[in-house]
Amino acid sequence: MLTRLAGGHVIDPVHGQDGIADLWMRDGRIVAAPDGGDADVTHDLGGKVVMAGAIDIHSHIAGANVNTARLLLPHWHPAAADRPDATWLTRAGWSTDVIGRLYAAMGYTTVVEPAVAPHHALHAHLELADTPIIDTAILSILGNDDFLLGLLRDGESGSAIADYAAWTLSATRGLGIKVINAGGAMAFKSNLRAFSLDDVVPDYGVTSRQIVAALQKAADALGVPHPVHVHCNNLGMAGNVETALATISGFDGLPIHLAHVQFYAYGTEGGRGFSSAAPRLAEAVNRAKTVTVDVGQVMFGQTTTISSDVLRQFNARDRARPRKWVIYDGDSNGGGMVPYEYRRSDFFNAVQWAAGLELFLLIDDPSRVFFTTDHPNGAPFTSYPDLMALLMSRDLRAEWMATLPAEALAVTTLASISREYTLTEIATMTRAAPARLLGLSDRGHLGAGARADIAVYDLGNHRDRAGAFRHAALVFKDGELVVRDGAVVSTPPGRALSLAPEPDAAIGRRLQAYYESRYGLSDALLRVPEWAVGRSQSFEVVSCGR
Amino acid sequence: MTRDESVVAAWIDGRPVTRKDAAREAARLLATARQPVIAGLGADIAGVRAVLDLAGRVGAAVDHMHADALLRDVDVMREAGMMVTTPSEARLRADVLLLAGHSLAEAPDMRARRLDPACPAKRIVWLCPPRKLDPGLVPLHSVGRDTGELPALLAVLRARLNGHPVATAARTIKAIDAMVTELKSARFGVAVWSAGELDALAIEMLCTLVGDLNAGTRFTGLPLPPGDNGRGVLEACGWLSGYPMRTGFGRGYPEHDPWRFDASRLAGSRESDCAVWISAYGAEAPAWTRDLPTIALTTPGARFRTPPRVQVEVGTPGIDHDAVQFVPASGTLMPITAARPSEAESVASVIADILAALPESSSC
Ligand SMILES: [Zn+2]
């Protein structure tokens, strides 16, 4: 079937397109305009904006920790969603089904769950298979696991570490490697309560810096398209910009991605010893061309924090709102689920909000700063439309600032920044750049051959950009119409994207023996067989090699 | 002869029927029921997925046979929170075990967890141990007999840990003070309990104690899960509906209410007029005594008080067919390949047949 999307304002930064054009699609792909002949179906998109489906590189939507948060917060579900009262979704739980629908309604078609402990990989993939419409992927966590730290302690070669990383990616069906407060979860088990870049993991004698460096090299050696995805040490602490700056300068030889850097953009200035250091951090990112970051923007309201940085979450438990929390000492990373409410009236929360926006606005290159709230840690993903509107309008930011404590804004530079994102920059940050960062060549653009994942927005009313981004006019997934006027009209299953590096046979035998002796269980503990995932979930292999 | 007729054991009112006929009759019962309930729910993850599809279609309530125990832990978590670890970390890292309740002596891998020579030696402190103990499990310190004493003992323990005086027998205080010393000296201590034995108050107090112990050292908890894939069902209900079991779909969206959607209450009170009973792990039969039209999916050998209207035998997940289920030894969902593959049906395939036989109009 040939479909024509006629007369929309097509924005495709990959092909330098920003103007009225027709788009054609057939069999789930975008195709060149046919020489003659008519479309079977034509959608008139006059006055509307057309972009590729959006890609979220970092959103905690599935897995054991996310599910624990669901069970911890049965009454939070309505708070997670901004949705019309009239639908059944209004009263539904915060389920996999709801997540797929809400993402699709915003024009998102690919979402990465960025923190899956290998022993919970099957659990995460089961949830993702139950998440309709959107394609998904996981990042597999390494860096707090006994096997890797043992390799480093014993001075084993870089190729042994790369073999282990390949084996883990292959077994868990990951799209990339995540490292979370490297060594910190292990140190917490030995009763350390703080852990920084050059601190040593007890019993293993390796530093956080050595762990990150080893994984960065492994990802590079394997040709994993996505650079190692790093959650730095000292998240959330006053003065932690020094940690982020040290991480940037310490690892900028090879590509590296730093996650939710808003949570590391804090100085110690001002009367309360807490200030935004976002300008310094943005300047460092601007200079370090091999570094990419995502922001982890804070937005106001009730949310919950879900993190495998168990040490940090333990330290944050006393600030839980409401007062309950789960701390999980896992086989390697574990995690902490700590509910939290960001308040406009709270000095610290207001500084966090402003620091995130400063990062977005002061980092020059929209292809190196990614659009995230670290869902749900900074805010639920349902707040994305409001954030897009804020980036695009200085006036709107001023309206918000007028409701915040002046004392907080005084330790930021936000009021002095006039930049407004263009739609092309939004499309770069949420489409073109994420596809490139993850190695997905047929996504994030609208050229012939691309997957027909397409979002259409009615952005005619500048006063309600957020509404337009929340309820896409039309969304196509693989060419199928899935959303019309913000309502889901079809729920095809998504697929999971993963790497499939050929792991070395020797490391496989070694790990089989390791799992049997250490855990008394086979390596089925982290394997994700296709039959087990079920639900006709299909896997799409993304090739290694940059 | 087709596979239907030769292999699948299915009955309507005790008469052998084909698998198709059984599904058709089950669908008819469910489609005309006012408030169906799906209970037992001893099923693998594929089975739970199918069950929640069915519940959404026919507006059923969903419960599990071990929900009382599962929801005791969940209640403590969602009221107060908790710290937990994995069975492997408890074995590999713990140097002190704080055991609460006598049923732990029978927990399948407790002995292994204690005695693995490759792991740190474990000192045991036991609240309310059984009278007779395996020599490998004898505690260094113990106090209490009956599990009912636990809240009072935990209150004293916590008071002494935090340096408060208590008015109780000097002998008890002496024993508890010795325990406190032991707990505080742990490098990585693990409190172990089974919600099948403890009440919610005792669990909450134990979890609070674990939190307090972290002021000085590392301590965490290990709730032992009930059987019949209870934890796996809890997890799958969590991601599929947003809520634990005891969730109803009668209004077209999930509503969680541990009292309203308790299957025993629904079945016993005439609120429910049709039940689906599932027990693929242990051929359990429902405990309710009311004569409620029931569609039963169990392994062979279940003894029903009143014969089910429709009965289909299913295989055991992980034995007759490949399955994903919660594995207590790992504390995770794992893929289990069939130990003795057979032609026996899975819960998922029987439910799929019933779904396919439902009239279109019953979709909500
Ligand atoms: Zn994150």
Side-chain angles (χ1 to χ4, degrees), chain A residues 38-56:
Chain A
D38 251 350
D40 301 295
V41 180
T42 298
H43 296 274
D44 178 11
L45 303 186
K48 302 208 167 64
V49 168
V50 185
M51 297 185 190
I55 301 171
D56 192 340

Side-chain angles (χ1 to χ4, degrees), chain A residues 436-492:
Chain A
R436 197 170 66 201
L437 185 75
L438 299 169
L440 310 176
S441 58
D442 63 354
R443 289 161 202 257
H445 67 90
L446 297 168
R451 227 167 243 301
D453 293 353
I454 299 170
V456 179
Y457 301 105
D458 187 350
L459 285 157
N461 175 7
H462 284 199
R463 291 299 305 167
D464 190 22
R465 286 198 184 100
F469 284 126
R470 180 165 287 117
H471 305 293
L474 298 173
V475 179
F476 298 90
K477 181 76 193 75
D478 297 303
E480 179 179 348
L481 184 67
V482 290
V483 172
R484 183 193 291 279
D485 299 328
V488 170
V489 296
S490 172
T491 53

